[in-house]
Amino acid sequence: KLTINKLMIKKLLALGFFLCLCYCIFSQSEVEYVKTGYFTHVYAREHLSDMPRGFFMLIEDDGTITPMWFYHYSTKNTGEYSTWNFDPSEYLGKTITMDFSGTPEKNNNEYPIYDASNNLVLLPKVSVKFVNSITEVSQTISVPDDYIHPQTDTLMIPHDVLVAPASYDDQTPTAEVNLSDYVSGSGTEDDPYISADGAAGLKQAVAALPNGGTINVGSGIYLTTVANVNIARFVSIKGTEEQQPEFRLTKNRSWFLKGSNTLDNIRVSSETIESYYNELITIDNNARDVVVKNSTFVGGYAVAPETYEEKGNGVCFRLRSHVQNLLFEDNRFINMMRGIVTKGQRNQHDITIRKNYFEGANHWFISFDQTSNISNIIVEENEFMEFSHFGVAFARIANVILRNNTFFSRNKLNYNTFSRAIHLEEHCQNFLIENNDVDALLRHPDSDNPNTVKRNGGIAVSDSRYITIKDNTVLNSDVLLGGLYSDIDKEITLTGNKIENGGLHIRDALDQVTFHKNTMVSPPEAAFTFLSNKPRLYPFGGHVLENNTVTEMKNAKAFDLNAPIMNSSIKNNLFQGCSQQQSEITFLDGASQLVIEDNEFLGITSEKAFDVKNTPAGNSLSDYQSQNSFTSECEETDDPDDSSDDETDEPDPLTTGFLENEENESFAYPNPIQRGKLLKIKNRDQPEAFSVSIFNLMGELLFKQRETIGTEVFVDTERFSSGIYFIKISDDHTEKNVKLILQ
């Protein structure tokens, strides 16, 4: 018994030593620091096209530099964790003595500095966990010009390249082989084509094309039961018959495309894979000139409505580093958890995803995340249908064009938990989101009922900058813009968009949103919502909301402001609705310089227009009432079932519609007119031919037509959004203007 006990003690001691050793090796212990120096703020990035990321820096008198990242902004004095109490920006430009504890972190985001011999030195940044004390001191330190706040976005962080960039000579191989020569079976459900090595003949076919070429594949089912099948450079796979051949992949990482490959007219199925931690096809490091077209990719991803348990395959295409000139065109992606995905990679250029059809259960159809040095990414003319999570999602990505796409979902799957059609987050920049159609009824994340249909984000952007959103149509969902902790989230511009049954939400620390020349119809709660109710490091403001048209405001507010808003303006907008509600204005501490003027409110009086809880200095309720125009009278939208609007019961143009002049020579009727009905325009008493032009409130020409003597001009109003327009009726002698209200 004594021997056994000694043995057990020895084992326990050995185990304890091993665990301690592991802890020392794999954990990073906190270090106590007391430093006196100049406190500043710089930005760093890995490539010229990347989003800069901020670092706070302590520069000591002897030149020692400590880059710091504050862990949720710890408290100033107690050393206890707190999200809000410590604000490093209060000490920028000051010499301080700081007593703190933190963890040195060596990774790809080390801070770069050059020593006296011009050698690059990487300094680990310190993750500050606790701030025990911080005091200002009288001594001065000579600060290098490079580190004077604010630092411009020019610092570069070197990173470890996963695989060195490679190049290879172009080839145009013409050799061909038939996959049928390397398989056995009849290609049916009961007897699929197979090969001895489990690769469905692909390995042998690739080996038969040492200088590249095409593998021709006839229709039938090809069963692949192994992983890591390399499709060599310059080798392509082509279905040769109208019915696509079906490759059934059963393993994670089944195929690796090495470059200059084309997948054409094939079907790839992974429905039998139950685990969703996998990726089917990898476009490998250094690949370029890859084309995927006319093909179908079917997965088995699904979520149980009762338990939310996920099953089925994950990523269809994973893009690796140093890839260039990739094209996905005219493909179908069905029930793939993730369709085309890249994450944590570098050097990806010239990627086009065009005219593809995506449908079914997914987390996101397309996702680019944490990819540095990326350029010329185009996502256009795709259809994203009945998605259950995100349509497309981007994080920490630069230089993307997203245009002419269609997003449509009616929540048929009933288990989405956080749904947005277009989603940007975590320092995206330089995006053009243009001419997309979004119509999505998606379950809101605040709802516990999977069958709840509620508006969510048609377009959602957070913590990003230099984003242009123009000429999009967003139905049944909101446009959500927000920023949390960064002082470089700014300059988001929205113009020419139509938002119906949705509103614009600006939240938290976002800066410099411009929303102009947009049309909004039937906002369900408020056209514009500003919300920022937590203390943040950076100001909320610089927003310009001007020259927009908001109509059909049924029990909705023009705006709901509840934020420390600064230096912003709401000007020259039209708010129309007989039943519009009182706008709520609540300013938090720090609010200043808000201008609300030259807006036209149709359907509410000045006394009922605003409910002001608090105003910043220099503002008052009377200012808002006197600097805008109000009309309590308005006309409700025509009843579509009202037979009085039929062509057979045409209203008398002498008594109906807006008539610009007493002579009644020119008119348009009916006016107001319901969108979708036929508008008639006459130049009543003029014998000459006349022309008709229609302009919006910004003076932009939307329609022009020249007619001959004795004719009427008929205009289909379906082409226009609801709002106010001006019609110019002119001939060789006169020119008249008519105001048109389109409901």
PDB file of all heavy atoms in Angstrom, residues 25 51 65 103 134-135 153 164 167 180 194 255 284 347 349 369 407 450 464 486 513 540 567 644 672 685 689 700:
ATOM      1  N   ILE A  25       3.929  28.123 -20.454  1.00  0.00           N
ATOM      2  CA  ILE A  25       4.204  28.182 -21.885  1.00  0.00           C
ATOM      3  C   ILE A  25       3.066  28.846 -22.630  1.00  0.00           C
ATOM      4  O   ILE A  25       3.263  29.706 -23.488  1.00  0.00           O
ATOM      5  CB  ILE A  25       4.468  26.770 -22.445  1.00  0.00           C
ATOM      6  CG1 ILE A  25       5.764  26.212 -21.846  1.00  0.00           C
ATOM      7  CG2 ILE A  25       4.538  26.800 -23.964  1.00  0.00           C
ATOM      8  CD1 ILE A  25       6.029  24.767 -22.239  1.00  0.00           C
ATOM      9  N   MET A  51      -8.142  49.266 -43.526  1.00  0.00           N
ATOM     10  CA  MET A  51      -8.721  50.178 -42.559  1.00  0.00           C
ATOM     11  C   MET A  51      -7.715  50.418 -41.431  1.00  0.00           C
ATOM     12  O   MET A  51      -7.232  49.468 -40.821  1.00  0.00           O
ATOM     13  CB  MET A  51      -9.995  49.565 -41.991  1.00  0.00           C
ATOM     14  CG  MET A  51     -10.734  50.449 -41.034  1.00  0.00           C
ATOM     15  SD  MET A  51     -11.575  51.776 -41.886  1.00  0.00           S
ATOM     16  CE  MET A  51     -12.706  52.304 -40.600  1.00  0.00           C
ATOM     17  N   ILE A  65       8.982  53.311 -26.373  1.00  0.00           N
ATOM     18  CA  ILE A  65       7.594  53.407 -26.834  1.00  0.00           C
ATOM     19  C   ILE A  65       6.832  52.178 -26.362  1.00  0.00           C
ATOM     20  O   ILE A  65       7.288  51.046 -26.536  1.00  0.00           O
ATOM     21  CB  ILE A  65       7.527  53.512 -28.368  1.00  0.00           C
ATOM     22  CG1 ILE A  65       8.223  54.795 -28.843  1.00  0.00           C
ATOM     23  CG2 ILE A  65       6.082  53.493 -28.855  1.00  0.00           C
ATOM     24  CD1 ILE A  65       8.296  54.923 -30.342  1.00  0.00           C
ATOM     25  N   THR A 103      -0.949  42.772 -20.321  1.00  0.00           N
ATOM     26  CA  THR A 103      -0.372  41.566 -20.913  1.00  0.00           C
ATOM     27  C   THR A 103       0.290  41.907 -22.233  1.00  0.00           C
ATOM     28  O   THR A 103      -0.383  42.377 -23.155  1.00  0.00           O
ATOM     29  CB  THR A 103      -1.465  40.514 -21.155  1.00  0.00           C
ATOM     30  OG1 THR A 103      -2.109  40.221 -19.921  1.00  0.00           O
ATOM     31  CG2 THR A 103      -0.873  39.247 -21.741  1.00  0.00           C
ATOM     32  N   ILE A 134      -3.473  57.239 -12.573  1.00  0.00           N
ATOM     33  CA  ILE A 134      -2.948  58.012 -13.693  1.00  0.00           C
ATOM     34  C   ILE A 134      -2.989  59.477 -13.289  1.00  0.00           C
ATOM     35  O   ILE A 134      -4.015  59.982 -12.838  1.00  0.00           O
ATOM     36  CB  ILE A 134      -3.753  57.752 -14.990  1.00  0.00           C
ATOM     37  CG1 ILE A 134      -3.121  58.512 -16.157  1.00  0.00           C
ATOM     38  CG2 ILE A 134      -5.217  58.067 -14.836  1.00  0.00           C
ATOM     39  CD1 ILE A 134      -3.648  58.074 -17.504  1.00  0.00           C
ATOM     40  N   THR A 135      -1.830  60.153 -13.388  1.00  0.00           N
ATOM     41  CA  THR A 135      -1.735  61.549 -12.974  1.00  0.00           C
ATOM     42  C   THR A 135      -0.971  62.331 -14.017  1.00  0.00           C
ATOM     43  O   THR A 135      -0.065  61.798 -14.682  1.00  0.00           O
ATOM     44  CB  THR A 135      -1.020  61.678 -11.619  1.00  0.00           C
ATOM     45  OG1 THR A 135       0.283  61.075 -11.715  1.00  0.00           O
ATOM     46  CG2 THR A 135      -1.821  61.015 -10.513  1.00  0.00           C
ATOM     47  N   ASP A 153      -3.191  58.536 -41.428  1.00  0.00           N
ATOM     48  CA  ASP A 153      -3.307  57.093 -41.643  1.00  0.00           C
ATOM     49  C   ASP A 153      -2.180  56.573 -42.531  1.00  0.00           C
ATOM     50  O   ASP A 153      -2.393  56.139 -43.658  1.00  0.00           O
ATOM     51  CB  ASP A 153      -4.656  56.771 -42.290  1.00  0.00           C
ATOM     52  CG  ASP A 153      -5.795  57.277 -41.444  1.00  0.00           C
ATOM     53  OD1 ASP A 153      -5.589  57.451 -40.238  1.00  0.00           O
ATOM     54  OD2 ASP A 153      -6.864  57.497 -42.008  1.00  0.00           O
ATOM     55  N   ALA A 164       4.444  32.765 -49.501  1.00  0.00           N
ATOM     56  CA  ALA A 164       5.043  33.800 -50.333  1.00  0.00           C
ATOM     57  C   ALA A 164       4.318  33.878 -51.669  1.00  0.00           C
ATOM     58  O   ALA A 164       3.956  32.852 -52.248  1.00  0.00           O
ATOM     59  CB  ALA A 164       6.525  33.493 -50.562  1.00  0.00           C
ATOM     60  N   SER A 167       4.220  33.230 -58.869  1.00  0.00           N
ATOM     61  CA  SER A 167       3.706  33.477 -60.209  1.00  0.00           C
ATOM     62  C   SER A 167       4.053  32.290 -61.088  1.00  0.00           C
ATOM     63  O   SER A 167       4.970  31.523 -60.806  1.00  0.00           O
ATOM     64  CB  SER A 167       4.305  34.763 -60.787  1.00  0.00           C
ATOM     65  OG  SER A 167       5.716  34.651 -60.892  1.00  0.00           O
ATOM     66  N   SER A 180     -14.975   9.235 -67.922  1.00  0.00           N
ATOM     67  CA  SER A 180     -15.557   7.889 -67.996  1.00  0.00           C
ATOM     68  C   SER A 180     -14.501   6.803 -68.148  1.00  0.00           C
ATOM     69  O   SER A 180     -14.754   5.631 -67.830  1.00  0.00           O
ATOM     70  CB  SER A 180     -16.551   7.815 -69.151  1.00  0.00           C
ATOM     71  OG  SER A 180     -15.913   8.127 -70.383  1.00  0.00           O
ATOM     72  N   ILE A 194     -17.612   5.222 -59.579  1.00  0.00           N
ATOM     73  CA  ILE A 194     -16.622   5.263 -58.511  1.00  0.00           C
ATOM     74  C   ILE A 194     -15.261   4.918 -59.092  1.00  0.00           C
ATOM     75  O   ILE A 194     -15.141   4.497 -60.252  1.00  0.00           O
ATOM     76  CB  ILE A 194     -16.960   4.279 -57.370  1.00  0.00           C
ATOM     77  CG1 ILE A 194     -17.001   2.833 -57.908  1.00  0.00           C
ATOM     78  CG2 ILE A 194     -18.285   4.649 -56.710  1.00  0.00           C
ATOM     79  CD1 ILE A 194     -17.163   1.799 -56.815  1.00  0.00           C
ATOM     80  N   TRP A 255     -11.923  19.134 -52.586  1.00  0.00           N
ATOM     81  CA  TRP A 255     -11.157  19.553 -53.763  1.00  0.00           C
ATOM     82  C   TRP A 255     -10.324  20.790 -53.446  1.00  0.00           C
ATOM     83  O   TRP A 255     -10.753  21.679 -52.706  1.00  0.00           O
ATOM     84  CB  TRP A 255     -12.078  19.903 -54.922  1.00  0.00           C
ATOM     85  CG  TRP A 255     -12.854  18.754 -55.501  1.00  0.00           C
ATOM     86  CD1 TRP A 255     -12.743  17.430 -55.184  1.00  0.00           C
ATOM     87  CD2 TRP A 255     -13.859  18.843 -56.511  1.00  0.00           C
ATOM     88  NE1 TRP A 255     -13.612  16.679 -55.928  1.00  0.00           N
ATOM     89  CE2 TRP A 255     -14.316  17.517 -56.759  1.00  0.00           C
ATOM     90  CE3 TRP A 255     -14.432  19.882 -57.230  1.00  0.00           C
ATOM     91  CZ2 TRP A 255     -15.305  17.238 -57.699  1.00  0.00           C
ATOM     92  CZ3 TRP A 255     -15.410  19.613 -58.163  1.00  0.00           C
ATOM     93  CH2 TRP A 255     -15.844  18.307 -58.398  1.00  0.00           C
ATOM     94  N   ASP A 284      -6.833  27.523 -53.654  1.00  0.00           N
ATOM     95  CA  ASP A 284      -5.636  27.419 -52.823  1.00  0.00           C
ATOM     96  C   ASP A 284      -4.750  28.655 -52.919  1.00  0.00           C
ATOM     97  O   ASP A 284      -4.915  29.517 -53.787  1.00  0.00           O
ATOM     98  CB  ASP A 284      -4.854  26.171 -53.221  1.00  0.00           C
ATOM     99  CG  ASP A 284      -4.122  25.550 -52.040  1.00  0.00           C
ATOM    100  OD1 ASP A 284      -4.091  26.180 -50.966  1.00  0.00           O
ATOM    101  OD2 ASP A 284      -3.589  24.438 -52.186  1.00  0.00           O
ATOM    102  N   ASN A 347      -3.932  39.502 -49.566  1.00  0.00           N
ATOM    103  CA  ASN A 347      -3.615  39.653 -50.985  1.00  0.00           C
ATOM    104  C   ASN A 347      -4.629  38.911 -51.859  1.00  0.00           C
ATOM    105  O   ASN A 347      -4.335  37.872 -52.445  1.00  0.00           O
ATOM    106  CB  ASN A 347      -2.197  39.161 -51.287  1.00  0.00           C
ATOM    107  CG  ASN A 347      -1.141  39.900 -50.492  1.00  0.00           C
ATOM    108  OD1 ASN A 347      -1.247  41.111 -50.301  1.00  0.00           O
ATOM    109  ND2 ASN A 347      -0.145  39.188 -50.005  1.00  0.00           N
ATOM    110  N   HIS A 349      -7.280  39.816 -55.001  1.00  0.00           N
ATOM    111  CA  HIS A 349      -7.534  40.888 -55.957  1.00  0.00           C
ATOM    112  C   HIS A 349      -8.354  40.376 -57.139  1.00  0.00           C
ATOM    113  O   HIS A 349      -8.250  39.213 -57.542  1.00  0.00           O
ATOM    114  CB  HIS A 349      -6.210  41.473 -56.460  1.00  0.00           C
ATOM    115  CG  HIS A 349      -5.279  41.911 -55.370  1.00  0.00           C
ATOM    116  ND1 HIS A 349      -5.439  43.098 -54.682  1.00  0.00           N
ATOM    117  CD2 HIS A 349      -4.199  41.306 -54.824  1.00  0.00           C
ATOM    118  CE1 HIS A 349      -4.490  43.203 -53.770  1.00  0.00           C
ATOM    119  NE2 HIS A 349      -3.725  42.129 -53.836  1.00  0.00           N
ATOM    120  N   ASP A 369     -14.056  38.479 -44.670  1.00  0.00           N
ATOM    121  CA  ASP A 369     -13.829  38.825 -43.271  1.00  0.00           C
ATOM    122  C   ASP A 369     -12.333  38.856 -42.985  1.00  0.00           C
ATOM    123  O   ASP A 369     -11.617  37.898 -43.285  1.00  0.00           O
ATOM    124  CB  ASP A 369     -14.530  37.790 -42.379  1.00  0.00           C
ATOM    125  CG  ASP A 369     -14.479  38.159 -40.906  1.00  0.00           C
ATOM    126  OD1 ASP A 369     -13.963  39.235 -40.582  1.00  0.00           O
ATOM    127  OD2 ASP A 369     -14.952  37.361 -40.088  1.00  0.00           O
ATOM    128  N   PHE A 407     -32.255  40.977 -53.307  1.00  0.00           N
ATOM    129  CA  PHE A 407     -32.359  40.265 -52.034  1.00  0.00           C
ATOM    130  C   PHE A 407     -33.837  40.127 -51.694  1.00  0.00           C
ATOM    131  O   PHE A 407     -34.546  41.129 -51.579  1.00  0.00           O
ATOM    132  CB  PHE A 407     -31.648  41.033 -50.921  1.00  0.00           C
ATOM    133  CG  PHE A 407     -30.177  41.231 -51.127  1.00  0.00           C
ATOM    134  CD1 PHE A 407     -29.703  42.276 -51.921  1.00  0.00           C
ATOM    135  CD2 PHE A 407     -29.254  40.385 -50.536  1.00  0.00           C
ATOM    136  CE1 PHE A 407     -28.346  42.468 -52.118  1.00  0.00           C
ATOM    137  CE2 PHE A 407     -27.897  40.568 -50.723  1.00  0.00           C
ATOM    138  CZ  PHE A 407     -27.438  41.606 -51.520  1.00  0.00           C
ATOM    139  N   PRO A 450     -39.895  32.056 -33.314  1.00  0.00           N
ATOM    140  CA  PRO A 450     -39.302  31.865 -34.648  1.00  0.00           C
ATOM    141  C   PRO A 450     -40.254  32.195 -35.778  1.00  0.00           C
ATOM    142  O   PRO A 450     -39.828  32.339 -36.918  1.00  0.00           O
ATOM    143  CB  PRO A 450     -38.919  30.381 -34.652  1.00  0.00           C
ATOM    144  CG  PRO A 450     -39.825  29.752 -33.652  1.00  0.00           C
ATOM    145  CD  PRO A 450     -40.030  30.781 -32.590  1.00  0.00           C
ATOM    146  N   SER A 464     -17.672  51.505 -39.709  1.00  0.00           N
ATOM    147  CA  SER A 464     -17.060  51.529 -41.034  1.00  0.00           C
ATOM    148  C   SER A 464     -17.028  52.956 -41.555  1.00  0.00           C
ATOM    149  O   SER A 464     -17.621  53.865 -40.981  1.00  0.00           O
ATOM    150  CB  SER A 464     -17.837  50.620 -42.001  1.00  0.00           C
ATOM    151  OG  SER A 464     -17.804  49.277 -41.559  1.00  0.00           O
ATOM    152  N   SER A 486     -14.922  53.497 -32.344  1.00  0.00           N
ATOM    153  CA  SER A 486     -13.841  54.014 -33.183  1.00  0.00           C
ATOM    154  C   SER A 486     -14.068  55.469 -33.541  1.00  0.00           C
ATOM    155  O   SER A 486     -15.189  55.893 -33.805  1.00  0.00           O
ATOM    156  CB  SER A 486     -13.715  53.186 -34.463  1.00  0.00           C
ATOM    157  OG  SER A 486     -12.730  53.740 -35.303  1.00  0.00           O
ATOM    158  N   VAL A 513     -22.772  61.204 -41.338  1.00  0.00           N
ATOM    159  CA  VAL A 513     -23.707  60.529 -42.241  1.00  0.00           C
ATOM    160  C   VAL A 513     -24.408  61.603 -43.071  1.00  0.00           C
ATOM    161  O   VAL A 513     -24.952  62.563 -42.525  1.00  0.00           O
ATOM    162  CB  VAL A 513     -24.747  59.703 -41.468  1.00  0.00           C
ATOM    163  CG1 VAL A 513     -25.808  59.159 -42.424  1.00  0.00           C
ATOM    164  CG2 VAL A 513     -24.062  58.558 -40.732  1.00  0.00           C
ATOM    165  N   PHE A 540     -21.054  61.990 -31.379  1.00  0.00           N
ATOM    166  CA  PHE A 540     -22.120  61.493 -32.233  1.00  0.00           C
ATOM    167  C   PHE A 540     -22.643  62.695 -32.998  1.00  0.00           C
ATOM    168  O   PHE A 540     -23.291  63.570 -32.425  1.00  0.00           O
ATOM    169  CB  PHE A 540     -23.228  60.874 -31.380  1.00  0.00           C
ATOM    170  CG  PHE A 540     -24.432  60.421 -32.159  1.00  0.00           C
ATOM    171  CD1 PHE A 540     -24.446  59.177 -32.763  1.00  0.00           C
ATOM    172  CD2 PHE A 540     -25.548  61.231 -32.291  1.00  0.00           C
ATOM    173  CE1 PHE A 540     -25.555  58.755 -33.469  1.00  0.00           C
ATOM    174  CE2 PHE A 540     -26.659  60.814 -32.991  1.00  0.00           C
ATOM    175  CZ  PHE A 540     -26.657  59.568 -33.589  1.00  0.00           C
ATOM    176  N   ASN A 567     -23.561  69.167 -34.091  1.00  0.00           N
ATOM    177  CA  ASN A 567     -23.220  69.728 -35.393  1.00  0.00           C
ATOM    178  C   ASN A 567     -23.921  68.996 -36.535  1.00  0.00           C
ATOM    179  O   ASN A 567     -23.285  68.534 -37.472  1.00  0.00           O
ATOM    180  CB  ASN A 567     -21.692  69.683 -35.584  1.00  0.00           C
ATOM    181  CG  ASN A 567     -21.249  70.497 -36.788  1.00  0.00           C
ATOM    182  OD1 ASN A 567     -21.901  71.478 -37.150  1.00  0.00           O
ATOM    183  ND2 ASN A 567     -20.167  70.085 -37.416  1.00  0.00           N
ATOM    184  N   SER A 644     -64.518  56.165 -58.815  1.00  0.00           N
ATOM    185  CA  SER A 644     -64.455  57.520 -59.348  1.00  0.00           C
ATOM    186  C   SER A 644     -63.151  57.802 -60.051  1.00  0.00           C
ATOM    187  O   SER A 644     -63.040  58.749 -60.821  1.00  0.00           O
ATOM    188  CB  SER A 644     -64.660  58.538 -58.224  1.00  0.00           C
ATOM    189  OG  SER A 644     -63.614  58.442 -57.282  1.00  0.00           O
ATOM    190  N   PRO A 672     -53.807  65.381 -56.769  1.00  0.00           N
ATOM    191  CA  PRO A 672     -52.827  64.304 -56.561  1.00  0.00           C
ATOM    192  C   PRO A 672     -53.252  63.003 -57.246  1.00  0.00           C
ATOM    193  O   PRO A 672     -54.427  62.773 -57.484  1.00  0.00           O
ATOM    194  CB  PRO A 672     -52.800  64.120 -55.036  1.00  0.00           C
ATOM    195  CG  PRO A 672     -53.355  65.405 -54.490  1.00  0.00           C
ATOM    196  CD  PRO A 672     -54.354  65.870 -55.486  1.00  0.00           C
ATOM    197  N   ASP A 685     -54.887  74.860 -74.892  1.00  0.00           N
ATOM    198  CA  ASP A 685     -55.321  75.838 -75.888  1.00  0.00           C
ATOM    199  C   ASP A 685     -54.224  76.218 -76.880  1.00  0.00           C
ATOM    200  O   ASP A 685     -54.327  77.246 -77.534  1.00  0.00           O
ATOM    201  CB  ASP A 685     -55.828  77.099 -75.186  1.00  0.00           C
ATOM    202  CG  ASP A 685     -57.089  76.819 -74.394  1.00  0.00           C
ATOM    203  OD1 ASP A 685     -57.866  75.934 -74.806  1.00  0.00           O
ATOM    204  OD2 ASP A 685     -57.265  77.475 -73.356  1.00  0.00           O
ATOM    205  N   ALA A 689     -47.281  71.923 -81.513  1.00  0.00           N
ATOM    206  CA  ALA A 689     -46.786  70.758 -80.777  1.00  0.00           C
ATOM    207  C   ALA A 689     -46.156  71.237 -79.476  1.00  0.00           C
ATOM    208  O   ALA A 689     -45.648  72.352 -79.378  1.00  0.00           O
ATOM    209  CB  ALA A 689     -45.776  69.996 -81.609  1.00  0.00           C
ATOM    210  N   GLU A 700     -33.748  67.440 -61.051  1.00  0.00           N
ATOM    211  CA  GLU A 700     -33.230  66.404 -61.945  1.00  0.00           C
ATOM    212  C   GLU A 700     -34.322  65.979 -62.923  1.00  0.00           C
ATOM    213  O   GLU A 700     -35.461  65.713 -62.533  1.00  0.00           O
ATOM    214  CB  GLU A 700     -32.752  65.194 -61.142  1.00  0.00           C
ATOM    215  CG  GLU A 700     -31.596  65.507 -60.220  1.00  0.00           C
ATOM    216  CD  GLU A 700     -31.253  64.350 -59.300  1.00  0.00           C
ATOM    217  OE1 GLU A 700     -32.198  63.639 -58.874  1.00  0.00           O
ATOM    218  OE2 GLU A 700     -30.072  64.161 -59.006  1.00  0.00           O
TER     219      GLU A 700
END
